[in-house]
Structure formats: structure tokens, C-alpha cells
Amino acid sequence: MPTTYSDLIADVRRGIREVSLDEIKRRLDAKVPMVLVDVREKEETRPGYIPGAINIPRGFLEMQIEQRISDKNAPIVLYCAGGTRSALAAKTLADLGYTNVESANPGFVRWKDLGYPQEKPPELTDAQRDRYSRHILLPDVGEVGQSKLLGSKVLLLGAGGLGSPAALYLAAAGVGTLGIVDADVVDASNLQRQVIHSTSRVGMAKVDSAAKFISDLNPDVKVIPHGERMTSENVERLFDAYDLVVDGTDNFPTRYLVNDASVFLGKPVVHGSIFRFEGQATTFVPASAAKKFSIAPPEGGPCYRCLYPEPPPPHLAPSCQEAGVLGILCGIVGTLQATEAIKLLLGKGNPLVGRLITYDSLRMKFRELKLRKDPECPVCGPNPTIKSYIDYEGFCAIG
């Protein structure tokens, strides 16, 4: 039994596998599969870390390792500043059943002295680390993911029932730029469901009302108001500067226009719609955008026209103004849309590509429907017949 700290470390080293920094560098250059784990404290990683490494401070290793690395046969290389904490961590992982673990000897201090490549974490301010602390604690977000959100740009179509909760949660999450398209003004009848507006702003342009609320909620977020109605003439200009689109529109001509622009321009669309007590949500990622959004299927998914080849007759699809809507329903569907947008921006999870979620609020029941690409789709199919914008009002009137 070891009787001193030195004896303990020597005993630990005899029971683990160690790897040189030169060998780690060789594996990185050759793209050999391995999981690099930096067991230094968060503050120690700020000057730099080995490219691709994940940070699990030694004090949290036992609590977090199985969440971060579930495969106990994965090749894992641990490192710290000098090689001691990583050796202790390697023994711990072996005790937890991990079978392919190595400890770097020496550690990052020597790696840096050798001039080997390193990355630096995003430079968030102290105020941002405080504001987004609950995100940063999530292994799938962290400072890198939060920085990605701050650099992202999302276009919201509508500042109404769906756009309101989506905008609020995207802004709270720290999505750095939100464009909002809406040509309407705030009306008292909106306030039952459009929670981004208030009584004091009745009569104000919705884009300005939304911008005011968001600026109070999160000053990190830049709001770009587009106080105009989306048409074939301005859709490309509006889509151009944004990473993805959250569609909260409430009429079929605009939905078909948004779909066609999505396919033509390679912009994902997170779709939502509501009717009385029911709502639905799905995500459309065209093939040309699938590579950028790596969690989407590489071939992309179906588009809105695959789901609705033609619009229903007007008497079967009355507007909220005609049919009414449960206000809370907007919050549920809009929040689902915001969640989908965040997942796409972070590249995490399983988006609703090829899946449609429906929600019945009276029965409190969710259902999932599978969607398939239509091989005869006139826009996203292999032989498209619609290659430019059409008369959408006329198309929907015929439907």
C-alpha cells in the first residue's frame, strides 16, 4: 500500500497506460479516432487547449463522464497541465469500466512549449458567462456552443402568436441577431396570445414593439425589424443574411412562397401552425443546406409541398380571426419552433426533419407522423417543374 503522495502517484502510473505528446500530435495529424479529455479546471483552459478536446474538470469527472462519453470502449486520451491529474483520472475511468484509456505524460504546459497546435475558448464577457451560465453548464452547449448562438442569425416570419414565444426564447438563449418580418401593428385582440406585445404598445408597429421587448430582455441581441409583407420581390433579400427561418405565418400563399425560397436558397425553415385547440410543427431542411446543418439527413428532408401538394379550400382552413385559437397553444408550438432552431444552430440532437409533431391541447396529446420526400414534388423532387417564384395568391385560390 502506498504511504506517501509520491508512492501513490507511482503506484497509479504503474497501473495505467501513458502516451507521449508526440504520439498524440501524430494521431491528430493522421485523424486517428480518439476522444481527448482535458481534466484541468475551466479557468486553466482559457489560455488554450488541444484542438478537439472536451473539458471535464477532474473534480467533476465521476459525475459527468458517462454523460459525455457513453461508449466505455472508446479510445480516450486524458491530459492535464503536467500529467498527474490525468493519471489519477485514468485510474478512475478504469475503475468505472472504461477499457481503452491513456494518460498524456507530460501535459499541456509542455504541449504549448513544443509549439504544437492549440485552440482558445470563445471570449465571452463575465456578464455573458453569468447570463448564460445554465447553458454553459450543459455539456452539449458550453462556451463554444453559446458563442455559436451569439454569432447566429435567425429570421422570424411574423411577430404574432407563434413568432412572439419563438422570439422571446431565441433572444433569451442569446441568438445574436433576430430579423423580424411583420407589416402589422399591435391590436388589443392580439394580446391574448402574442405575448411579446403589451397594452401600452397598442397601435405600434409589431416589429418595433417586439424589438423594444427584446432589447429589455437581452441587450446582447441585435434586432433587425423588417416592417414589410413578404413577397416574391423581397423574399431573397430578406432570407439572404440569415442562417435559418422560423415560419410563423398564417396564410397559405406565404407558406408556399417561403417553402420555394427555402429550396432555391438552401435555407432551413422551422414550420409551425395552429388552429383552434390544435397545433403542429416540423422542420424543413433542403438538400443544399444539409451539409451545413450536420444533424440533418445528408440528403435533406421533405419540403412543405411534399406535405401539402396543394392548399385546402378556404372553407376548410379558416384563419384564427375567423375560427379562433387557444392563446396558450401559440406558446407551446412557438416554443417547439425555438427549440428546433437552437438544435440546428448548435448541431445537436435529432431535428424534426421528416417528422411532423401534432398537438391536441384538449386531449393533452402529442403525436408524431413520418413525412417522406415526394419523388414527384415540383420543387424539391429530382425533376422539378417549379424553378422560379409563381403567382402564389392565384395558386392558392385555385387550390
Side-chain angles (χ1 to χ4, degrees):
M1 291 288 294
T3 57
T4 67
Y5 173 74
S6 297
D7 292 338
L8 172 65
I9 296 303
D11 188 57
V12 167
R13 290 190 188 281
R14 284 192 291 270
I16 65 169
R17 292 161 48 203
E18 294 190 315
V19 60
S20 69
L21 299 181
D22 290 340
E23 173 60 15
I24 296 174
K25 171 71 162 49
R26 185 197 68 79
R27 294 180 192 176
L28 280 177
D29 292 342
K31 294 182 171 53
V32 176
M34 63 177 171
V35 183
L36 277 165
V37 181
D38 188 332
V39 299
R40 296 176 297 162
E41 296 301 310
K42 179 71 72 176
E43 291 302 318
E44 293 180 87
T45 68
R46 299 212 184 282
Y49 56 89
I50 298 176
I54 61 174
N55 176 231
I56 308 178
R58 176 67 190 87
F60 294 92
L61 187 69
E62 292 85 351
M63 290 185 288
Q64 295 185 5
I65 189 64
E66 291 181 344
Q67 299 174 6
R68 305 290 295 275
I69 308 174
S70 58
D71 181 3
K72 294 198 172 183
N73 296 314
I76 300 172
V77 176
L78 303 156
Y79 74 89
C80 61
T84 300
R85 282 174 289 175
S86 61
L88 293 167
K91 182 180 185 304
T92 297
L93 293 196
D95 292 342
L96 290 172
Y98 287 85
T99 62
N100 191 3
V101 181
E102 297 171 299
S103 171
N105 188 21
F108 185 77
V109 172
R110 181 59 177 158
W111 177 277
K112 184 177 179 180
D113 290 342
L114 290 169
Y116 287 166
Q118 56 180 304
E119 293 180 353
K120 291 189 176 182
E123 295 185 4
L124 300 179
T125 65
D126 290 341
Q128 288 172 330
R129 291 193 187 97
D130 184 43
R131 177 181 287 270
Y132 308 116
S133 60
R134 301 308 187 270
H135 270 179
I136 292 170
L137 288 171
L138 294 171
D140 288 333
V141 183
E143 291 190 10
V144 172
Q146 188 60 55
S147 179
K148 188 180 292 186
L149 292 179
L150 287 164
S152 297
K153 299 179 179 181
V154 172
L155 182 66
L156 292 136
L157 304 184
L162 297 179
S164 289
L168 291 180
Y169 273 104
L170 291 173
V175 173
T177 301
L178 294 178
I180 304 177
V181 181
D182 201 309
D184 203 359
V185 298
V186 179
D187 185 82
S189 65
N190 302 147
L191 303 180
Q192 161 256 12
R193 63 199 179 281
Q194 298 180 18
V195 293
I196 206 167
H197 309 300
S198 66
T199 302
S200 64
R201 297 198 291 275
V202 169
M204 180 184 292
K206 285 186 177 180
V207 291
D208 294 332
S209 172
K212 179 176 175 58
F213 194 110
I214 291 171
S215 67
D216 289 340
L217 175 64
N218 190 350
D220 284 343
V221 179
K222 177 183 179 182
V223 179
I224 302 177
H226 301 282
E228 55 191 303
R229 179 174 174 270
M230 181 167 286
T231 67
S232 299
E233 286 69 39
N234 65 11
V235 64
E236 294 196 356
R237 169 175 58 80
L238 292 170
F239 274 35
D240 183 60
Y242 298 92
D243 300 310
L244 60 85
V245 176
V246 174
D247 181 11
T249 58
D250 61 358
N251 65 86
F252 283 98
T254 305
R255 288 174 185 165
Y256 283 103
L257 168 61
V258 168
N259 176 77
D260 295 352
S262 164
V263 176
F264 297 159
L265 304 175
K267 301 283 185 176
V269 171
V270 181
H271 168 76
S273 62
I274 49 176
F275 178 70
R276 291 181 174 165
F277 295 94
E278 299 178 357
Q280 63 181 32
T282 187
T283 297
F284 302 116
V285 179
S288 56
K291 185 176 181 180
K292 178 180 178 182
F293 296 89
S294 56
I295 59 173
E299 70 280 5
C303 75
Y304 187 78
R305 286 183 183 270
C306 296
L307 179 58
Y308 297 110
E310 58 184 38
H315 69 278
L316 294 181
S319 67
C320 293
Q321 186 175 357
E322 298 167 320
V325 63
L326 182 68
I328 300 168
L329 178 67
C330 304
I332 295 169
V333 176
T335 304
L336 289 175
Q337 290 180 275
T339 305
E340 282 291 284
I342 293 290
K343 285 160 53 183
L344 285 172
L345 295 172
L346 291 174
K348 300 293 182 181
N350 182 19
L352 288 172
V353 180
R355 299 185 293 142
L356 177 74
I357 292 291
T358 66
Y359 172 60
D360 182 338
S361 63
L362 290 181
R363 298 181 182 181
M364 194 55 72
K365 186 174 182 179
F366 285 91
R367 294 181 61 201
E368 178 181 307
L369 306 175
K370 297 292 185 182
L371 304 181
R372 291 179 174 82
K373 295 186 75 168
D374 180 359
E376 303 298 323
C377 178
V379 173
C380 77
N383 299 298
T385 56
I386 298 177
K387 301 179 182 181
S388 60
Y389 304 110
I390 64 173
D391 176 4
Y392 294 96
E393 297 285 351
F395 170 72
C396 291
I398 293 172

